[in-house]
Amino acid sequence: MRSNDERIGRLRRLAWLLDSSIPIPGTRFTIGLEALVGLVPFIGDLVGVAFSIVILAESARLGVGKRILARMALNVALEGLVGLVPLAGDVFDAAWKANQRNVRLLNEWLERPVRTERASGLLVLGILAVPLVLPLLAVLLLLYVAAG
């Protein structure tokens, strides 16, 4: 059985490999293997999401709370959905770096679990509230215009 430090080190290396392991010559930017695999339409994006899920699953095994796991899942879902858009999705994938974001969340949780849980919970709640608030605002706007 691996110690937590070994597991976290392995996750950091995986995130780096997927998101930042290839420097772009003449710039300070990097991309990872996930961006290259993502160039293959649809299948490449599915493979990238599958690798990202490994980080989520390992974080869950380490005891990360549900709110943080939800935030990590949102990072992966956003990267996966936007990644489906040809070329623009690949550029977003290379810039968003969901795996490194998720490993940072894991590290923050290890250092300050309560604070990270609270911040993640508020973010997830805010994101989930958007689909509820936008239709309500549209209805209010229609009523305002109709009242005239």
Side-chain angles (χ1 to χ4, degrees):
M1 180 142 238
R2 293 186 167 139
S3 73
N4 284 351
D5 289 341
E6 289 174 346
R7 293 161 83 183
I8 294 164
R10 190 170 49 94
L11 292 177
R12 277 191 196 117
R13 286 187 301 278
L14 177 61
W16 172 81
L17 182 67
L18 293 172
D19 291 343
S20 296
S21 58
I22 305 166
I24 298 174
T27 72
R28 60 182 178 89
F29 299 107
T30 59
I31 61 172
L33 294 179
E34 187 173 356
L36 292 179
V37 171
L39 291 173
V40 178
F42 191 69
I43 301 296
D45 296 307
L46 287 178
V47 169
V49 168
F51 279 118
S52 296
I53 289 173
V54 169
I55 294 173
L56 265 79
E58 192 66 24
S59 296
R61 283 187 212 102
L62 288 165
V64 170
K66 292 177 185 175
R67 290 177 183 174
I68 297 169
L69 290 173
R71 186 171 171 185
M72 289 176 162
L74 285 171
N75 285 337
V76 173
L78 180 62
E79 187 174 76
L81 289 174
V82 176
L84 291 173
V85 177
L87 241 41
D90 298 314
V91 171
F92 177 81
D93 180 39
W96 183 247
K97 301 183 187 295
N99 300 301
Q100 289 184 319
R101 285 175 183 270
N102 287 345
V103 170
R104 270 195 305 275
L105 279 171
L106 172 61
N107 288 327
E108 288 171 16
W109 176 78
L110 290 167
E111 291 173 12
R112 296 186 204 154
V114 173
R115 182 176 176 190
T116 309
E117 283 277 343
R118 188 177 322 121
S120 294
L122 291 173
L123 179 69
V124 170
L125 180 63
I127 290 170
L128 294 177
V130 168
L132 299 174
V133 172
L134 288 179
L136 178 63
L137 290 175
V139 168
L140 291 174
L141 180 62
L142 287 173
L143 290 175
Y144 177 77
V145 170

